[in-house]
Amino acid sequence: MNFLLDGLNEAQKKVVLRKDGPLLVLAGAGSGKTKSISHRIAYLVAQGVAPEKILAITFTNKAANEMKERIFSLLKRLEAEILPVPENFDDPPGSKQPGGTSKFSGTGKHPFISTFHTLGVYILRRSGEKVGAPKNFSILDKDESLSLVKEALKELSIDPKQFQPNKMQSIISREKGDLMDWETYSNEAGSDFYPSMIARIWKKYEELLAAQKALDFDDLVSKVVFLLKKDETARNYYQNLWDYIIIDEYQDTNKSQYELSKLLSARHKNICAIGDMDQSIYGFRGADFRNIINFERDFPNLVSIALEENYRSTQNILEAAAKVIEKNKVRKAKGLYTKNVKGAEISLFEAMGENEEAEFVIHKIKEVLASGVSPSDVAVLFRANFQSRVFEEMCLKHGVPYQMLGVQFYERKEVKDVFAYLRAAANRQDLLSIKRIINVPPRGLGKVSIANKFAGKKLPPAAEKKFQEFMDLLDSINKAGLSKKTSEVVAFVLRETGMEKFLEEGDGIDQERLENVKELVSIATKYDHCDPPEGTDKMLEDAALMSAQDSMDMSGQAKKETIRLMTVHAAKGLEFKNVFIAGLEEGLFPHSGFGDRSGERDEEERRLFYVAVTRAKEKLWLSFSVIRTVFGSKQMNMPSRFLSDIPDHLYKMEQFKFQPEDVIRYE
């Protein structure tokens, strides 16, 4: 059992050894928090805690799966030394379990390790009917949710120009995250025109969700909180289900996630929260880094431990990050340090324009790759998605393989079409899915015929026959789903719907789409161990809960060695040997408009830059452009204020000679 403490520093050992009572872990960037959490869970089991009594929650499936892999390895070793292994623990990661993608998460004889939303699905599937969540509910992604908002506006005859669907969706999402329901919102709105109109839209939106037996992403947590507050039986059951609760990235919790954490841990109070206020960058999603401060208020007898040794970055990179973040006033200061080498100086490049900046970055990347560095060890980070275009163009121009993180495999049209068939076959109330694929591939049902059918009007005999054939097709898919393995069901959909043949006969783009849906069959094999229809249901559920990072390795492109292009938000939790941070200009990074709420959003921008810097392990490049084209017009820029926070001795200015054909001239 001593091996569980081997290789840990003194602070990490304290995290592992503290068994009972509330524990707050302030984990600095690169301080080995995942290792500490994994060893803590294994140590709890070694101390006699039943594995199934442990719940661990993090924010992405990628992070949850990494944690599962580590814990699986530790418990296997623990078994060999002192413990009988929990039932089925010799199964490989990826085998059957409820509530996650590895065998050892769920509520069998193994820890439950998942995201907040996966946990919410698990609870609502079993106990959610009292809060309007049918057992076989569909989960709507952001685009599908937006479609329902648009439908609500249409049914209410509300002008979408005055009440923009995207904005309405954002307001509803924020309010749900703050544990507001439409009725309470409506009562508080009173007769005020704008809020009362939002309440009407929200009410209609909820009616459309209910009609389709669907929940949106925010419901997956908020409805669990409502359930546990409302239903004493459910509350007692889930409070007794887990004796020890561990929550990662606590600074990223919103109100509903925070309340769920409190409710689940209220009985035993063996809750461990791990977080870093300096890495709180999701305020726009409703995350509140002050939940770490509130944790101390809600659990007054807690023990607080700081993980301050950084194992990731060189001394130069870490010192630069520390100098930047110390300017923030609202934070819990940490003495982050490293025993790593001093490392190379940080490079800073001043470009005349965004094309010149991109040329410099890609030129340096080619030098790095030529030195033997793997492309996957290189990342280009930027503040806004629009900045990716010029880097993608330069990568293509210079033959540098790249992947733009954020273009998710599960968001591709052809993949969503397959999922729509599976969802519609299982849930005939899912009109969004039915409307999506009723004419995919084309089967001669025009928009007018489809609209008339769903309006209850009688169709001409030919159209009625085609519609009935479509419904018979859904019946056959549903029947297959009840008897076949998941991969066989997906292959059945491709074959019987005609999608496979249609794409085979198409153009180059269709060939790429065909490759993607065939890749989906391969992905589906991971669920073949599940009994039908559990495997298909689980695949749909996992896909709905995927983040950009989770889907990073789901496409064929990701199987190649590529550099990564991504926003800083998407890079959270990742690390690379070589990191380029581009567009460090006032108004872009920090982003314009971040000067309200008494400087709170200014501080979040600084935290965002801190996160960007601490992604780098060995070498960091910073760049900015004097002139940048934004919305079609060129504008002059001042260097980001963050650059002036980095001491002069930590960086060097880069010079770069362009070939004549590469020089960008500005009028």
Side-chain angles (χ1 to χ4, degrees):
M1 191 171 67
N2 289 337
F3 76 89
L4 291 175
L5 300 179
D6 291 344
L8 302 181
N9 62 37
E10 290 306 309
Q12 290 172 331
K13 288 178 182 178
K14 290 179 181 178
V15 173
V16 171
L17 295 173
R18 173 72 180 181
K19 182 183 178 185
D20 296 324
L23 173 65
L24 176 62
V25 181
L26 301 173
S31 60
K33 65 168 183 170
T34 303
K35 183 176 184 178
S36 302
I37 294 170
S38 302
H39 283 245
R40 173 177 170 79
I41 291 173
Y43 197 83
L44 286 173
V45 175
Q47 291 295 305
V49 177
E52 69 270 22
K53 303 299 285 184
I54 301 171
L55 168 66
I57 306 173
T58 187
F59 270 78
T60 67
N61 290 311
K62 181 178 183 294
N65 287 333
E66 180 184 351
M67 194 181 298
K68 292 171 190 175
E69 296 287 347
R70 292 196 187 200
I71 294 169
F72 178 83
S73 177
L74 290 171
L75 290 181
K76 288 291 290 183
R77 185 173 175 185
L78 196 60
E79 171 209 2
E81 293 201 5
I82 60 170
L83 287 177
V85 70
E87 182 183 355
N88 294 328
F89 239 93
D90 54 350
D91 290 349
S95 52
K96 178 180 177 182
Q97 56 81 36
T101 57
S102 293
K103 168 63 187 172
F104 51 94
S105 77
T107 54
K109 296 182 178 180
H110 27 71
F112 191 115
I113 305 167
S114 77
T115 65
F116 270 108
H117 294 95
T118 301
L119 171 65
V121 171
Y122 176 80
I123 293 174
L124 292 174
R125 292 277 190 219
R126 289 152 183 78
S127 313
E129 291 186 336
K130 289 188 177 181
V131 287
K135 290 185 182 299
N136 63 333
F137 61 82
S138 297
I139 304 171
L140 300 191
D141 63 22
K142 189 173 182 179
D143 289 340
E144 292 163 338
S145 170
L146 182 60
S147 294
L148 278 197
V149 172
K150 291 177 179 177
E151 181 65 24
L153 291 168
K154 182 178 179 181
E155 292 195 15
L156 294 171
S157 299
I158 294 176
D159 184 1
K161 293 181 180 179
Q162 185 177 7
F163 292 86
Q164 299 172 10
N166 281 304
K167 190 172 183 180
M168 296 301 102
Q169 181 189 42
S170 179
I171 291 172
I172 292 171
S173 175
R174 185 186 67 230
E175 294 296 337
K176 285 188 175 186
D178 285 341
L179 293 176
M180 182 73 71
D181 56 47
W182 76 264
E183 292 174 301
T184 306
Y185 186 89
S186 180
N187 291 335
E188 292 185 0
S191 59
D192 290 347
F193 175 71
Y194 194 76
S196 62
M197 288 296 287
I198 294 174
R200 286 185 62 206
I201 296 167
W202 189 352
K203 178 183 179 183
K204 175 57 67 175
Y205 171 73
E206 292 296 330
E207 291 172 355
L208 293 172
L209 280 172
Q212 302 204 38
K213 295 168 66 174
L215 301 182
D216 63 26
F217 213 60
D218 300 292
D219 290 329
L220 301 180
V221 179
S222 63
K223 281 187 177 292
V224 176
V225 175
F226 294 144
L227 170 69
L228 298 184
K229 287 186 173 182
K230 175 182 180 180
D231 190 325
E232 183 179 1
T233 300
R235 182 169 64 252
N236 289 335
Y237 175 78
Y238 290 105
Q239 286 179 345
N240 283 319
L241 191 57
W242 298 294
D243 292 348
Y244 291 84
I245 298 175
I246 298 167
I247 302 175
D248 192 14
E249 305 286 7
Y250 206 73
Q251 78 282 348
D252 290 334
T253 54
N254 61 17
K255 184 175 181 180
S256 61
Q257 293 160 342
Y258 179 69
E259 287 297 324
L260 179 56
S261 305
K262 285 172 52 181
L263 281 166
L264 290 175
S265 61
R267 177 152 301 178
H268 300 288
K269 291 185 170 53
N270 295 322
I271 180 172
C272 172
I274 302 98
D276 181 7
M277 292 173 67
D278 291 339
Q279 296 186 73
S280 178
I281 60 174
Y282 295 112
F284 66 96
R285 293 182 186 171
D288 190 347
F289 65 90
R290 285 166 296 202
N291 285 342
I292 289 181
I293 299 174
N294 295 335
F295 187 83
E296 296 177 317
R297 178 199 65 199
D298 295 331
F299 298 95
N301 296 320
L302 68 80
V303 169
S304 182
I305 299 171
L307 300 181
E308 297 179 315
E309 182 174 356
N310 177 285
Y311 293 92
R312 177 188 299 155
S313 304
T314 64
Q315 292 181 23
N316 278 344
I317 292 171
L318 196 62
E319 183 180 348
K323 291 297 183 181
V324 169
I325 199 62
E326 71 180 16
K327 294 290 185 70
N328 272 6
K329 297 178 181 178
V330 184
R331 61 185 294 260
K332 282 184 169 293
K334 297 181 296 298
L336 208 58
Y337 68 95
T338 184
K339 296 177 183 177
N340 292 338
V341 298
K342 184 177 181 180
E345 289 177 295
I346 297 167
S347 292
L348 177 61
F349 180 67
E350 176 183 354
M352 283 300 298
E354 66 264 28
N355 289 292
E356 185 173 304
E357 180 184 38
E359 283 279 6
F360 166 78
V361 169
I362 301 305
H363 177 81
K364 287 297 179 182
I365 288 176
K366 290 176 71 175
E367 287 184 356
V368 169
L369 298 181
S371 71
V373 172
S374 168
S376 60
D377 281 328
V378 180
V380 181
L381 310 183
F382 32 80
R383 178 63 180 83
N385 272 308
F386 79 85
Q387 293 173 260
S388 70
R389 177 196 59 79
V390 66
F391 290 105
E392 291 189 74
E393 290 178 357
M394 291 301 174
C395 284
L396 292 170
K397 174 183 175 181
H398 292 283
V400 175
Y402 74 93
Q403 181 187 12
M404 177 59 197
L405 185 59
V407 182
Q408 300 185 34
F409 178 79
Y410 286 149
E411 292 298 312
R412 298 179 187 276
K413 177 189 180 301
E414 59 275 14
V415 174
K416 294 186 76 169
D417 287 343
V418 175
F419 286 159
Y421 269 110
L422 295 171
R423 287 168 50 175
N427 177 10
R428 295 303 172 80
Q429 280 72 48
D430 189 349
L431 296 184
L432 274 178
S433 293
I434 290 175
K435 290 178 180 179
R436 178 185 181 93
I437 41 85
I438 195 170
N439 213 32
V440 177
R443 52 176 54 91
L445 282 171
K447 291 183 179 180
V448 174
S449 295
I450 296 171
N452 287 338
K453 184 63 182 179
F454 288 112
K457 297 179 181 179
K458 190 173 182 179
L459 298 182
E464 185 65 43
K465 182 175 183 294
K466 291 175 181 176
F467 183 82
Q468 189 55 52
E469 289 173 348
F470 171 73
M471 299 306 288
D472 291 343
L473 174 62
L474 293 184
D475 286 338
S476 67
I477 294 172
N478 187 48
K479 184 177 179 180
L482 296 174
S483 59
K484 295 179 181 293
K485 295 179 179 179
T486 307
S487 61
E488 294 173 344
V489 177
V490 175
F492 182 88
V493 170
L494 298 182
R495 183 176 64 253
E496 296 301 317
T497 62
M499 284 182 65
E500 187 172 23
K501 183 179 180 181
F502 178 77
L503 293 174
E504 282 177 346
E505 297 173 350
D507 56 20
I509 295 177
D510 286 333
Q511 292 301 315
E512 182 180 338
R513 289 173 175 168
L514 179 61
E515 290 177 4
N516 287 331
V517 292
K518 286 184 176 179
E519 178 70 12
L520 187 59
V521 178
S522 300
I523 293 170
T525 60
K526 298 177 182 178
Y527 301 87
D528 282 349
H529 61 274
C530 298
D531 296 330
E534 181 186 345
T536 304
D537 293 341
K538 191 68 185 64
M539 182 178 68
L540 292 173
E541 180 183 302
D542 286 348
L545 301 179
M546 281 283 178
S547 70
Q549 284 188 18
D550 298 330
S551 65
M552 187 162 57
D553 298 322
M554 303 303 286
S555 67
Q557 183 187 29
K559 294 177 182 177
K560 306 173 187 175
E561 278 289 303
T562 61
I563 70 166
R564 303 294 168 82
L565 309 178
M566 67 187 83
T567 65
V568 182
H569 282 102
K572 177 75 184 300
L574 303 178
E575 59 182 42
F576 304 90
K577 288 183 179 178
N578 301 270
V579 171
F580 294 78
I581 307 175
L584 285 167
E585 302 134 30
E586 286 295 308
L588 183 55
F589 201 177
H591 202 277
S592 59
F594 279 71
D596 58 346
R597 295 196 305 171
S598 303
E600 286 185 20
R601 297 184 76 180
D602 280 333
E603 293 210 347
E604 179 159 322
E605 285 291 292
R606 188 174 291 277
R607 293 194 295 270
L608 189 60
F609 182 63
Y610 173 80
V611 166
V613 170
T614 54
R615 297 313 92 196
K617 298 167 68 175
E618 297 178 2
K619 176 65 179 178
L620 177 65
W621 283 265
L622 308 175
S623 62
F624 65 95
S625 176
V626 175
I627 302 173
R628 185 174 297 276
T629 304
V630 180
F631 298 118
S633 61
K634 294 180 175 64
Q635 62 182 35
M636 298 289 294
N637 304 301
M638 293 291 293
S640 170
R641 69 192 71 174
F642 302 146
L643 295 175
S644 62
D645 296 331
I646 300 175
D648 293 346
H649 71 275
L650 295 180
Y651 70 87
K652 64 177 180 179
M653 295 298 300
E654 289 278 353
Q655 302 297 322
F656 184 60
K657 292 183 179 180
F658 289 89
Q659 297 299 321
E661 63 269 18
D662 291 329
V663 175
I664 309 299
R665 291 184 172 85
Y666 295 92
E667 300 297 334

